[in-house]
Amino acid sequence: MIQINNLSIARGSKPILTNAELTLFPGEKVGLIGHNGAGKSSFLSALLGELHIDQGSIDLPKVWRLSWIDQEVTANHLSVLDFALEGDRALHEVRQKIHAVEESGDMEQLGHLYEELENLDGYTAEARVATILHGLGFTTEDLQRKVGEFSGGWKMRLNLAKVLGSRADLILLDEPTNHLDIEAVVWLEQWIKQVNSTVILVSHDRDFLDEVCTHTVHLNNEKLTKYTGGYSAFERAFAERADQVNQANKKAAGEMEKLQKFVDRFKAKASKAKQAQSRVKRLEKIKLIETLQVEPHVAIPFMEPHKSPDPLVVLNRSDCGYEGVAPILKSISLELRPGDRIGLLGANGNGKTTLVKTLVGELNMLGGERVEGKGLVYGYFAQDQIESLDMNATPLQHMSRLERQISEQKAREFLARYHFRDDKVRQLVGSFSGGEKSRLALALLAYKRPNLLLLDEPTNHLDIATRQALASSLLEFEGALIMVSHDRHLLESITDRFWRVHQGAVTEFDGDLDDYAELLRKETSEESRNAKQNNNVNNKPVAIVAAPVDRQAVNQCIKQLSNQVKKLEKQIEIDQPKLTKLDEALAKCDYSKPDDSKNAAELHSERNLIATRLENAENELLELMVEIEQLEESLKTA
């Protein structure tokens, strides 16, 4: 397990943690949260040994392998598959040794290395890593392409694939969903939930945290506080604790006021001196509990939009894409009307951004027509919007470029609504954090008073509090909007319809995001099953004459498999309640108490054993049922 004792760390003169305590158990999936600037990334650096510890200790099992996301990709000459395989450092080292020994011809040493290769599951590594790459959106054809051929966002996916394929005991993920679409996020959730590793992740996507986290650690007031469950569970528990603290402080403050009044009134009287002195001592002993600070609220208001035409934009049998290549979207017909609030769904590369750029007229159509309503004023936030800001200019200068005649006072008043105040308005944008740059870009967009908002991944640099502020503002926005986002909470909060951009078409998706996630799981399962069947067909010799089906033998086989299914179902029925009881017991543990902490370790060990057994039983059950289904199908066609 990970044991953090009396830990104090700082970045320069800024303290990050002071006398912090924390215990994490093997297999836990932990969301590390806290407002921007609280020190989450610094804490991860300390876990990796990259940041100096001023006091205390971080104890990790010595045999544990650690893996984390690099921020750069330099191996542009490698194929995608080879690059991802390098994440398994132990396997990579053994393969390099094998290559070197093969040159020397030392057969005895080579035998030992091949045995070590087998122990590291080296013969299945390519298939395992290819599955990860496919889940993150890479096609089979991509696996042999060079890393240097991909854009920055796809390179970050490659870094993530490298980590997921590492077979590490502790995996650290800092904003892993930032460059992913919903499809890849849904896949990543399933991967994290099933992996045996301990995972610590930083994310501002509350739905993602709710889905994968068994626990949440809040970095706040230079302390680490552990909660059971995901972000929503933390939010409820934190609100309860904050209320309890406020009530306790209110009671303590009332008592202090009474004592102080007594002291002030009688301290000069000799007959009451003893009682006054006694109350002074009591006053000194009463301490107010440190108030729990919530994340600072940052507003992102949108001004009343210009009067909207109806319709706003119409596409009629439009082919959308880039000149010189085949259209990405073909014969698209749709219209946007005032009040429309639409979320775009679809994997990266299917054309969501292409559609948005076509709607605003930034991309010329390859065919068909685009009709723009008179009086259309659109606000377009692109994926790389913050890069369009002038890093050598100030917020005031950006405002004067929007409106030449604007007074400094009016510009300051407007920027203050977005928390750019005092000297901040004269600070160079290049020195701003990613969240501040995004906030400024949204402010400049809002100043145009658009009647159509098109937002393409606007939340990549925003923390949870700012995302919530954006959602609240967009709910009040009276114009139409289209949004592309992997943040499902935001999408569900502000949109009332979904369009799916898929396989060259744009269609209405009738359902919510839970329905969409289920659809993706089914499609992925079907693709895997088809690929497996195709692989089996390709690997088997083709029979010239089909052998007749032995119905008796097939029925006997189905009976045997059905008996195995019943045994597994019984085992699952026994283990599932056990797992639930263990989770309930763990939720009640107070990790600050030594006895509870020791008991929790034993409970965790038992839970991991049962969870692994349950997962294996469910996987085996699924395989048996598929096999029975295939046998039953063979009887029908015989």
Side-chain angles (χ1 to χ4, degrees):
M1 65 182 180
I2 302 171
Q3 189 70 52
I4 292 172
N5 298 305
N6 199 31
L7 181 66
S8 296
I9 56 174
R11 280 278 191 190
S13 60
K14 181 186 176 184
I16 303 297
L17 292 172
T18 304
N19 302 324
E21 304 279 338
L22 181 66
T23 302
L24 301 179
F25 293 95
E28 288 186 339
K29 312 298 186 288
V30 180
L32 178 62
I33 63 169
H35 64 80
N36 279 354
K40 300 183 294 294
S41 295
S42 296
F43 174 59
L44 294 186
S45 295
L47 284 173
L48 291 171
E50 296 174 351
L51 186 63
H52 173 70
I53 293 175
D54 299 310
Q55 177 184 299
S57 64
I58 299 175
D59 296 324
L60 296 170
K62 291 181 180 179
V63 296
W64 271 22
R65 293 162 296 175
L66 274 64
S67 190
W68 60 95
I69 299 179
D70 292 322
Q71 294 306 308
E72 294 183 7
V73 176
T74 55
N76 290 319
H77 63 288
L78 290 177
S79 72
V80 164
L81 184 59
D82 287 341
F83 177 82
L85 281 166
E86 282 192 350
D88 192 336
R89 294 180 177 86
L91 179 61
H92 183 61
E93 288 174 10
V94 168
R95 286 185 164 179
Q96 284 186 318
K97 288 177 183 177
I98 287 174
H99 182 70
V101 172
E102 281 177 338
E103 296 286 327
S104 67
D106 187 338
M107 300 307 293
E108 185 178 350
Q109 189 180 358
L110 196 61
H112 290 307
L113 287 171
Y114 275 120
E115 186 179 345
E116 193 174 343
L117 182 71
E118 187 172 356
N119 291 335
L120 293 171
D121 295 327
Y123 297 111
T124 61
E126 277 80 2
R128 176 171 54 83
V129 171
T131 300
I132 291 170
L133 288 163
H134 179 68
L136 292 176
F138 292 91
T139 65
T140 303
E141 292 73 24
D142 289 335
L143 301 188
Q144 298 309 320
R145 288 175 60 191
K146 300 297 182 188
V147 170
E149 297 176 30
F150 291 86
S151 66
W154 283 94
K155 284 182 177 179
M156 291 309 297
R157 289 195 189 205
L158 280 174
N159 273 340
L160 178 57
K162 197 173 182 179
V163 172
L164 301 185
S166 66
R167 296 186 307 114
D169 301 287
L170 174 61
I171 295 175
L172 306 179
L173 302 176
D174 196 348
E175 295 291 358
T177 65
N178 262 4
H179 298 279
L180 303 183
D181 47 40
I182 289 178
E183 286 75 3
V185 171
V186 169
W187 177 87
L188 180 60
E189 286 174 351
Q190 299 307 309
W191 189 93
I192 291 176
K193 287 195 290 187
Q194 292 172 10
V195 72
N196 291 326
S197 311
T198 301
V199 181
I200 301 176
L201 60 94
V202 174
S203 176
H204 295 306
D205 184 335
R206 59 185 295 152
D207 277 17
F208 180 70
L209 292 170
D210 277 346
E211 188 67 26
V212 304
C213 292
T214 60
H215 296 80
T216 299
V217 170
H218 190 201
L219 200 168
N220 187 47
N221 289 341
E222 300 167 25
K223 303 294 182 187
L224 295 168
T225 308
K226 186 178 181 183
Y227 297 82
T228 299
Y231 186 83
S232 295
F234 150 76
E235 206 169 36
R236 289 190 295 271
F238 183 83
E240 289 172 6
R241 282 190 67 217
D243 185 57
Q244 289 167 2
V245 167
N246 290 337
Q247 292 297 329
N249 280 342
K250 195 180 290 185
K251 185 177 179 182
E255 188 178 351
M256 290 172 74
E257 186 180 358
K258 289 177 184 176
L259 292 170
Q260 190 64 53
K261 281 182 180 178
F262 186 94
V263 171
D264 293 342
R265 184 175 178 182
F266 296 113
K267 62 183 177 182
K269 293 189 176 181
S271 61
K272 298 285 186 180
K274 259 190 178 181
Q275 291 94 325
Q277 190 60 38
S278 172
R279 282 162 175 73
V280 168
K281 288 179 181 178
R282 279 173 61 188
L283 260 174
E284 290 171 352
K285 288 179 181 178
I286 297 175
K287 292 181 180 178
L288 294 179
I289 305 168
E290 190 171 21
T291 305
L292 295 176
Q293 295 178 358
V294 297
E295 293 190 19
H297 177 76
V298 178
I300 305 181
F302 284 89
M303 301 169 71
E304 182 184 352
H306 292 282
K307 185 177 179 181
S308 299
D310 189 6
L312 293 155
V313 184
V314 175
L315 296 184
N316 186 23
R317 302 183 68 82
S318 301
D319 291 341
C320 311
Y322 300 84
E323 291 186 15
V325 294
I328 296 172
L329 302 173
K330 298 174 184 176
S331 194
I332 302 301
S333 294
L334 54 84
E335 68 175 19
L336 286 174
R337 305 191 64 185
D340 279 343
R341 307 180 73 83
I342 298 164
L344 296 186
L345 307 175
N348 283 359
N350 272 264
K352 298 188 300 293
T353 298
T354 300
L355 175 62
V356 171
K357 285 184 175 181
T358 303
L359 285 168
V360 300
E362 201 171 286
L363 268 183
N364 292 325
M365 292 181 304
L366 304 178
E369 64 175 348
R370 172 183 175 274
V371 181
E372 182 178 300
K374 188 177 180 181
L376 173 71
V377 180
Y378 68 81
Y380 175 37
F381 187 100
Q383 285 191 39
D384 56 355
Q385 189 68 28
I386 64 173
E387 294 172 20
S388 67
L389 296 172
D390 184 348
M391 299 299 154
N392 295 314
T394 67
L396 281 177
Q397 288 171 320
H398 278 89
M399 288 296 297
S400 65
R401 291 170 188 175
L402 271 183
E403 185 183 335
R404 290 186 177 278
Q405 303 303 317
I406 193 171
S407 68
E408 181 174 327
Q409 182 61 29
K410 184 180 176 183
R412 280 181 174 274
E413 287 174 359
F414 177 78
L415 289 168
R417 297 171 66 187
Y418 299 84
H419 283 242
F420 295 104
R421 299 188 178 95
D422 304 325
D423 294 339
K424 201 75 176 179
V425 298
R426 293 191 175 278
Q427 194 173 323
L428 294 181
V429 171
S431 65
F432 286 2
S433 68
E436 289 171 328
K437 290 172 185 172
S438 288
R439 217 175 339 121
L440 177 60
L442 286 165
L444 297 174
L445 183 152
Y447 190 74
K448 299 176 185 178
R449 293 174 56 203
N451 46 39
L452 172 61
L453 273 179
L454 302 105
L455 306 177
D456 194 349
E457 297 291 1
T459 63
N460 275 351
H461 300 281
L462 303 181
D463 60 24
I464 291 178
T466 310
R467 290 184 188 206
Q468 193 59 47
L470 177 61
S472 299
S473 297
L474 290 173
L475 277 173
E476 296 175 5
F477 175 65
E478 295 176 2
L481 68 85
I482 284 187
M483 174 172 281
V484 179
S485 179
H486 64 269
D487 187 326
R488 287 159 296 173
H489 182 77
L490 182 64
L491 271 180
E492 286 189 313
S493 298
I494 66 151
T495 63
D496 51 29
R497 295 165 60 198
F498 294 111
W499 288 350
R500 190 183 189 193
V501 184
H502 183 62
Q503 295 181 344
V506 180
T507 56
E508 189 98 16
F509 179 75
D510 185 19
D512 60 20
L513 290 181
D514 287 337
D515 296 325
Y516 185 59
E518 184 59 31
L519 173 67
L520 294 176
R521 281 191 282 269
K522 284 180 180 177
E523 288 180 347
T524 301
S525 178
E526 285 173 12
E527 286 173 10
S528 299
R529 189 158 57 245
N530 290 338
K532 187 175 180 181
Q533 288 173 352
N534 290 337
N535 189 48
N536 289 340
V537 169
N538 292 335
N539 290 336
K540 289 178 181 176
V542 178
I544 297 172
V545 180
V549 173
D550 185 340
R551 301 182 70 87
Q552 186 176 351
V554 170
N555 280 319
Q556 184 63 29
C557 188
I558 290 174
K559 186 177 180 181
Q560 291 173 354
L561 293 175
S562 298
N563 288 335
Q564 292 180 47
V565 166
K566 288 177 183 176
K567 287 180 182 177
L568 287 169
E569 287 176 337
K570 190 173 181 180
Q571 183 64 52
I572 290 169
E573 284 178 12
I574 294 169
D575 281 345
Q576 193 65 62
K578 286 183 180 178
L579 198 64
T580 303
K581 285 183 179 178
L582 285 167
D583 285 336
E584 290 172 355
L586 283 165
K588 295 175 182 176
C589 287
D590 183 350
Y591 294 100
S592 63
K593 297 178 181 177
D595 288 345
D596 268 23
S597 185
K598 183 181 178 182
N599 184 40
E602 293 172 356
L603 290 173
H604 266 281
S605 179
E606 186 181 352
R607 187 199 181 281
N608 288 339
L609 184 67
I610 292 175
T612 302
R613 188 169 67 207
L614 190 58
E615 182 185 346
N616 291 338
E618 287 173 342
N619 290 337
E620 190 179 346
L621 181 64
L622 181 61
E623 289 175 7
L624 288 172
M625 291 176 76
V626 170
E627 196 171 343
I628 290 171
E629 186 181 314
Q630 290 171 347
L631 288 170
E632 288 174 341
E633 194 64 34
S634 71
L635 288 175
K636 290 178 186 177
T637 57

